[in-house]
Amino acid sequence: MDHLIAYMTGLGGSASAAQLRTYFTKRQLSRAVGAGAVVRSARGIYSLGALGDAERLSLEARAALFGRSAALAHGLGILHQPPAVELAVPRGRRVRRIPGTAIATRLLPPADLVGVGAVRATSPVRTVLDCAAMLPFAEGLAIADSALRQGLANREELEAGAGQWVGRNKAALRRVLRHMDPRAANAFESGLRAACLEAGVHMEPQATIRTARRDYRVDLAKKLRLVAEADSFEWHGGREALHRDCTRYNELVRAGCTVLRFSWEHVMYEREWIGEVVSEVESRAEVHNSRLVLPRSLPLTA
């Protein structure tokens, strides 16, 4: 069930039945629905149960959805579910404690709030800025990448907002804006890229590598032909998928690539170890490539 919830979180909290059937069985989905973790929100559409709780608690507290709860409301991909519904009220207002919520007091000009269903939430731009400033780098980067990818915010708007930022952690906010990239396919991949960046390794998302057999698009790559893949187990559930994956992997190695594969658990809980591995392998690859002339027929393009 954790993987199903993580998959839906990466898509912004909701998914069609067709999307879910691609990677999960009917039994897995039924189990998640029975546990209340997933709800059938419309014909053929399933949403995380936490979204309904967020709306109810937002109305009860007379507060705006904030942080990761706002990101989920806008359909932005996040790495981790917030432990409580994140809400915000204007500064100066007395806050009543409500179980299941984390209520912050913030400057909330009307321009930074939008309607989402029956409740209000911080706008996509404000949500990206808040999350970039207050969350760990990987979390903020995943949300910023998602906002750019979905067209809910653009660089100009985010840079303008950062220029007027009066809150804390402006350096953390700037760091996310410096590295955000709309090419990232999902939050899982953004988390992997963040781990590489934290280790000082800059990699291109969704790069295409030409091999002798065909062109392959990989999650992350570097010019020295270092590849890092965010490997979800749902992609390899059958014999045909395994065969296709083995062919792909071997063709990339045949083309001179060093391919590193990281699981969902690695990205969620072991990003420091990912950084150590990528950094060490990159150093080794630099030495190797300084002695190696690759065929011109095998370029890497972003």
Side-chain angles (χ1 to χ4, degrees), residues 232-252:
S232 177
F233 82 97
E234 290 90 5
W235 287 94
H236 314 298
R239 181 176 295 276
E240 183 181 345
L242 176 63
H243 173 74
R244 183 173 61 246
D245 185 57
C246 288
T247 301
R248 182 177 186 273
Y249 176 82
N250 290 332
E251 284 296 333
L252 288 170

Side-chain angles (χ1 to χ4, degrees), residues 84-138:
V85 176
E86 295 174 345
L87 303 170
V89 297
R91 285 183 180 171
R93 188 181 128 187
R94 296 184 66 180
V95 179
R96 176 171 64 92
R97 295 192 63 175
I98 298 177
T101 67
I103 305 179
T105 56
R106 292 289 190 275
L107 288 174
L108 291 174
D112 283 357
L113 297 175
V114 297
V116 180
V119 301
R120 292 194 304 167
T122 52
S123 68
V125 169
R126 172 66 187 271
T127 299
V128 170
L129 297 175
D130 285 330
C131 292
M134 73 181 188
L135 296 176
F137 175 60

Side-chain angles (χ1 to χ4, degrees), residues 40-60:
R40 188 172 181 269
S41 57
R43 184 178 177 84
I45 300 294
Y46 291 86
S47 301
L48 293 173
L51 295 180
D53 289 339
E55 183 171 300
R56 175 180 59 79
L57 291 168
S58 174
L59 292 170
E60 184 179 343

Side-chain angles (χ1 to χ4, degrees), residues 170-242:
K170 192 168 185 176
L173 188 161
R174 284 289 186 188
R175 185 187 185 196
V176 169
L177 266 56
R178 188 165 62 250
H179 293 293
M180 62 186 180
D181 195 315
R183 293 175 294 173
N186 50 51
F188 183 20
E189 183 189 297
S190 295
L192 177 57
R193 193 168 99 259
C196 297
L197 287 166
E198 288 177 318
V201 181
H202 295 249
M203 302 187 77
E204 294 290 331
Q206 294 299 302
T208 299
I209 297 178
R210 182 174 300 165
T211 73
R213 190 183 186 100
R214 51 163 289 189
D215 289 355
Y216 288 103
R217 184 169 290 274
V218 299
D219 292 334
L220 299 172
K222 199 164 184 184
K223 294 295 183 183
L224 50 71
R225 309 192 77 73
L226 173 64
V227 171
E229 295 272 66
D231 235 351
S232 177
F233 82 97
E234 290 90 5
W235 287 94
H236 314 298
R239 181 176 295 276
E240 183 181 345
L242 176 63

Side-chain angles (χ1 to χ4, degrees), residues 128 152 160 201 259 291:
V128 170
L152 295 179
V201 181
V259 182
R291 303 169 183 166

